[in-house]
Amino acid sequence: MSDIQEATNQLLDVHLHGNQKSIQVTEGGPRSESEHLQVTIGATVPTGFEQTAADEVREKLGSSCKISRDRGKIYFDISVESLAQVHCLRSVDNLFVVVKEFKDYQFKETKEEVLKDFEELAGKLPWSEPLKVWKVNTSYKKKKTKRKKINQNSSKEKIDNGQGDRADEKDDKKGFTSKALDSHILDYYENPAIKEEISTLVGDDLASCKDETDEGSKEDAPEVLKFRVTCNRAGEKHCFSSNEAARDFGGAVQDYFKWKADMTNFDVEVLLNIHDNEIVVGIALTEESLHRRNITHFGPTTLRSTLAYGMLRLCAPQPTDIIVDPMCGTGAIPIEGATEWSNCYHIAGDNNPLAVSRAANNISSLLTKSQIKEGKVSWGLPIDAVQWDICSLPLRTGSVDIIVTDMPFGKRMGSKKRNWNLYPACLREMSRVCRPGTGRAVLLTQDKKCFTKALSGMGHVWRKVHTVWVNIGGLHAAVYLLKRTPQAFVHPIEQDGERTPW
Amino acid sequence: MKLLTHNLLSSHVRGVGPRGFPLRLQATEVRINPVEFNPEFVARMIPKVEWAALLEAADTLHLVEVPTEPIEGYEHDEKFLRRMHHVLLEVDVLEGTLQCPESGRLFPISRGIPNMLLSDEETET
C-alpha cells in the first residue's frame, strides 16, 4: 500500500501533464530529443540461458544486465539511439520497454481491492518516455515491413501445411490449460498456438482490418491508437487471475489514453508481468517473437533460434571451426550458426529425408532473406546438408571441432527405451569424429538419466564441463557442455595394428 | 554439396575404415554460388584440408587449377587464396555420386544433398 501512495505522490505531476502528451503520440513529436533518452529494456530469454544472454548484451551493447528472479527475463539500460542494435540480439525472444518496476508490491487482501488498485495504477505510471521509445521503435520497424511480410506469409503457409505434424502439439496444450498456476511457460518447440496461454484484454470490438493496410493506415497524424494488455501472472498467493488483472488494468488504460481496445490488430501492447511480489509494467517492442526468425519450414520438434544461439555460444566457436549437428531436424542450430558465426563452417545432418529436405529449404529461405536485406549478391553461406546415420557418421576421424545438437527426448521423437541404445552409440561416434584435445560438444536432452549413464562409461574421451538447466515447455531438460579429451580414438576394427588417426 | 564438405566425408561401409577416404566424386550438375571472400578464413582452413582429396575433386570437376601443394607463403597470396576460396566454398555439386574407393559402393547426391545412409543389410554385424 505504501508503494502505491509513494508512487501516487511522485507521479502526480506526470499525471497532470500526462493526459495531454499521451493523446498526442503522433508524427511530429520532438524525435531528436527522444533519442538521447536512457531507458530500461526488458527481454525474455529461454530459461536457463539468462547468463548467456547477459553476455551477449555486454558484448554487443556494452550494457550490464540484471537477471530477474522471474526466470527467463533480463533487464538492461541503453540510450534510445542503440535501439536498433537491441533488435539484433540473437539470444532474446521478446523485447519490451519498462514503464515501471515494483520490486515489492503490496497486494491488498481482497480481489476487489487489488483490482481497484490496478485500475488506479494505470493513470499514475510514467508513460511518456516509454511511449517515446515505442514510437521510435515503431518508426524503425516500418522500414523493415516489406521484408517482414515476405517471411510472415511464407511462415504462415508452412504452418497451415504442417497440420499433420501438429497432432502432438495438441496434447501438450491440454496439459497446459489444466495447470493450476497461471505461469507463462514459453514453449520450447515452435508452436504459435501454445503461446496464447496468456490473458489478453477482452475487447468488445475486434477490428477487421487486414495486414495489408500496414502501409497506409498508420501514417496520418492524430489517430486513435489501438492497444491490448497482456498479463502474465506467476505466484501462489495471488487472489486474482491474469484475466481479471488484464481486464481491469486494461480498462483503466483505455479510459486514461482514450485508446481503442483491439486484441489482434493493436499498435501498442501493454505488458503487465506479475511474479510473486514483483510487478513490471512494460510496452512491447517486438510483435513476432524473435525466436522464429530463421525457420520458415517447421517440423514437429523445431528448436527455437534463441535456444540454438545460446547453445552455440556456450561452445565458444573459433574462426574456421567445423561445427556439425548430426541430428539437425529442420536445421535450426546450423542455420543460426551460419548466420551468426559465418567464419565457421556448418554441417547439418539427419537420417530422416523429410528433416534434411526441410533443413535445405530453410537454408534456401535464409539465402533469399539475406539477399533482400543486404541487397548484395552473396548467394552462399558456409553451410551444407547431408543425409546420414548418427550411429555411423560418414566423417573423417577427428575432423570436427564442435558438435551441437538437440538429442531425441523420447517424448515427441523416439522413445525412452530406444534412447538406452541410441545415446551410448551417439556419444561413441561423436567422440570419434570430434577433434581430440580441442573439440567440444553441446548436447540438449530431457532424458538426463539415460544421458548421464551413457556418459559415465566414456570418461576417457568426454569430460563434462558445464550443465545448463532449462525449462522447456514444462519439461526439465539439460544442456551439457562436454570437452573432448586429448586421447585419440581407437577403431575397434583396426586393433590389429592399423590404427591411423588420419 | 560444397567441396569443403566433400573433404570431410568418408565412406563408413563396414570394414573399410580410413581406406574409405576420399570418396570419388562424379557430378552431373554443378552450380557456382558467389560467396563473400574472407581471406583469413581461407588461410586458416587450408592446414585443415586434406590436400590430395581436394586436388582430386577439383580435377574431376575441371575447376581452376589447384597446385599439388599449398604454395610457400600462401597466407599472403591473395590470388591463391581467392582461388582456394572458390574451390572450397563456391562450387556446389547439385547432382552426382560419391563412391567408396574401397568397396565401390555408390552414394547419390541429389538437390545438393548427399545421401550417405546404408541399407539395413549393410549395417548388420
Side-chain angles (χ1 to χ4, degrees), chain A residues 146-443:
Chain A
K146 261 193 199 158
R147 189 182 355 130
K148 260 198 142 187
K149 266 194 196 162
I150 292 165
N151 288 335
Q152 272 174 352
N153 290 337
S154 58
S155 65
K156 273 180 193 155
E157 277 165 27
K158 297 309 163 196
I159 293 169
D160 292 337
N161 292 342
Q163 280 306 328
D165 293 332
R166 303 224 164 274
D168 283 0
E169 322 292 21
K170 293 201 179 127
D171 294 341
D172 285 69
K173 193 174 175 184
K174 282 186 197 142
F176 275 109
T177 50
S178 65
K179 280 197 164 53
L181 277 178
D182 265 14
S183 56
H184 176 210
I185 298 170
L186 285 170
D187 192 52
Y188 163 80
Y189 299 119
E190 292 291 344
N191 185 349
I194 291 186
K195 275 190 275 176
E196 294 313 299
E197 275 299 319
I198 315 163
S199 300
T200 57
L201 171 63
V202 180
D204 293 328
D205 38 329
L206 289 175
S208 57
C209 306
K210 294 202 177 142
D211 283 323
E212 287 84 41
T213 58
D214 242 67
E215 306 290 1
S217 62
K218 292 173 192 161
E219 293 296 346
D220 314 329
E223 189 199 79
V224 175
L225 289 176
K226 299 194 274 276
F227 84 108
R228 80 171 188 186
V229 170
T230 301
C231 176
N232 293 321
R233 188 196 65 76
E236 316 247 333
K237 297 177 187 160
H238 300 140
C239 56
F240 60 94
S241 73
S242 58
N243 251 321
E244 292 163 338
R247 182 196 61 210
D248 289 3
F249 183 68
V253 167
Q254 182 169 30
D255 291 339
Y256 182 70
F257 287 110
K258 312 294 179 223
W259 287 339
K260 199 168 156 188
D262 189 329
M263 245 188 14
T264 52
N265 208 24
F266 49 89
D267 303 304
V268 182
E269 182 174 19
V270 176
L271 304 169
L272 180 60
N273 293 331
I274 305 172
H275 182 84
D276 289 324
N277 279 13
E278 189 186 273
I279 295 186
V280 177
V281 180
I283 298 176
L285 297 176
T286 50
E287 281 166 7
E288 202 177 80
S289 187
L290 295 172
H291 69 75
R292 271 198 253 163
R293 61 176 168 258
N294 291 336
I295 304 297
T296 51
H297 293 71
F298 289 92
T301 58
T302 299
L303 189 68
R304 268 154 58 187
S305 304
T306 41
L307 201 41
Y309 176 86
M311 286 174 68
L312 282 161
R313 219 190 143 96
L314 264 186
C315 50
Q318 300 303 304
T320 67
D321 271 351
I322 310 274
I323 305 180
V324 171
D325 182 348
M327 293 184 275
C328 70
T330 50
I333 297 174
I335 285 171
E336 184 64 24
T339 317
E340 190 67 7
W341 286 274
S342 57
N343 57 0
C344 296
Y345 192 70
H346 305 265
I347 302 186
D350 203 288
N351 63 349
N352 183 329
L354 200 57
V356 185
S357 152
R358 280 192 179 127
N361 286 336
N362 283 325
I363 293 170
S364 304
S365 303
L366 190 65
L367 294 177
T368 316
K369 193 159 84 171
S370 80
Q371 271 187 300
I372 293 168
K373 177 176 177 175
E374 275 141 59
K376 41 180 191 186
V377 194
S378 248
W379 279 75
L381 283 170
I383 179 170
D384 241 343
V386 181
Q387 188 173 355
W388 64 34
D389 177 3
I390 173 79
C391 298
S392 178
L393 290 171
L395 291 167
R396 282 194 272 131
T397 298
S399 61
V400 175
D401 295 292
I402 296 173
I403 297 174
V404 202
T405 196
D406 170 8
M407 300 189 64
F409 277 17
K411 282 193 183 282
R412 290 184 201 214
M413 274 294 184
S415 67
K416 286 273 168 96
K417 192 172 169 201
R418 250 192 76 210
N419 287 352
W420 285 111
N421 293 324
L422 183 66
Y423 279 26
C426 284
L427 283 170
R428 240 191 328 266
E429 188 65 350
M430 290 196 267
S431 75
R432 179 184 71 80
V433 303
C434 198
R435 211 181 294 277
T438 56
R440 48 248 190 254
V442 175
L443 310 170

Side-chain angles (χ1 to χ4, degrees), chain B residues 35-56:
Chain B
V35 174
E36 207 168 336
F37 175 57
N38 180 344
E40 270 158 38
F41 177 88
V42 185
R44 285 217 210 180
M45 198 52 103
I46 283 169
K48 291 186 180 181
V49 165
E50 286 291 326
W51 201 262
L54 183 64
L55 188 55
E56 196 183 305

Side-chain angles (χ1 to χ4, degrees), chain A residues 38 53-65 75-79 82 85-86 89 313:
Chain A
Q38 279 280 326
D55 290 343
E56 192 195 7
V57 170
R58 174 171 288 107
E59 179 194 305
K60 295 185 180 169
L61 302 174
S63 303
S64 58
C65 286
Y75 296 93
F76 51 93
D77 293 334
I78 51 149
S79 74
S82 312
Q85 285 154 270
V86 175
L89 291 172
R313 219 190 143 96

Side-chain angles (χ1 to χ4, degrees), chain A residues 40-43 45 50-51 53-55 57-58 63-70 72-77 98 100-103 278-280:
Chain A
T40 304
I41 300 288
V45 307
E50 293 88 350
Q51 190 54 55
D55 290 343
V57 170
R58 174 171 288 107
S63 303
S64 58
C65 286
K66 190 188 86 174
I67 295 174
S68 165
R69 269 173 307 148
D70 183 6
K73 289 198 177 65
I74 62 170
Y75 296 93
F76 51 93
D77 293 334
V98 175
K100 178 102 182 151
E101 184 196 359
F102 298 93
K103 290 195 170 72
E278 189 186 273
I279 295 186
V280 177

